[in-house]
Amino acid sequence: CPVICFNFGAMGEVSAGNAIYLEEFSPDEIDRTIDIAISSSRLEIITKALIHASAFSWKKTAESTYQFYRSLC
């Protein structure tokens, strides 16, 4: 499913352009982003997001965390 979120904080960073971004919090803006989510570009948005998501894994997170803590000793 396409993700609808604001482009700031962690959501903007994690989605890396692969989400549908709200410009403001209003009913019209929510309607606009839902229209995009169900439009013909839906498959393209999902495909890009899945490719981006493949860069993340629990194994990579564990390895990075382990290396960080090792660097402190």
Side-chain angles (χ1 to χ4, degrees):
C1 295
V3 172
I4 297 173
C5 64
F6 286 101
N7 187 16
F8 64 83
M11 293 305 296
E13 182 180 349
V14 171
S15 63
N18 296 298
I20 303 164
Y21 297 113
L22 290 157
E23 299 295 325
E24 61 183 60
F25 190 70
S26 72
D28 288 339
E29 183 65 3
I30 294 169
D31 182 54
R32 181 191 71 82
T33 56
I34 290 173
D35 284 344
I36 294 169
I38 61 176
S39 72
S40 59
S41 62
R42 183 176 190 268
L43 183 59
E44 180 183 350
I45 294 167
I46 292 169
T47 301
K48 287 181 178 180
L50 289 172
I51 290 168
H52 179 65
S54 70
F56 300 94
S57 75
W58 283 113
K59 182 176 181 179
K60 287 180 184 178
T61 301
E63 289 171 351
S64 296
T65 303
Y66 176 76
Q67 290 303 322
F68 171 76
Y69 283 115
R70 292 276 311 200
S71 72
L72 297 177
C73 297

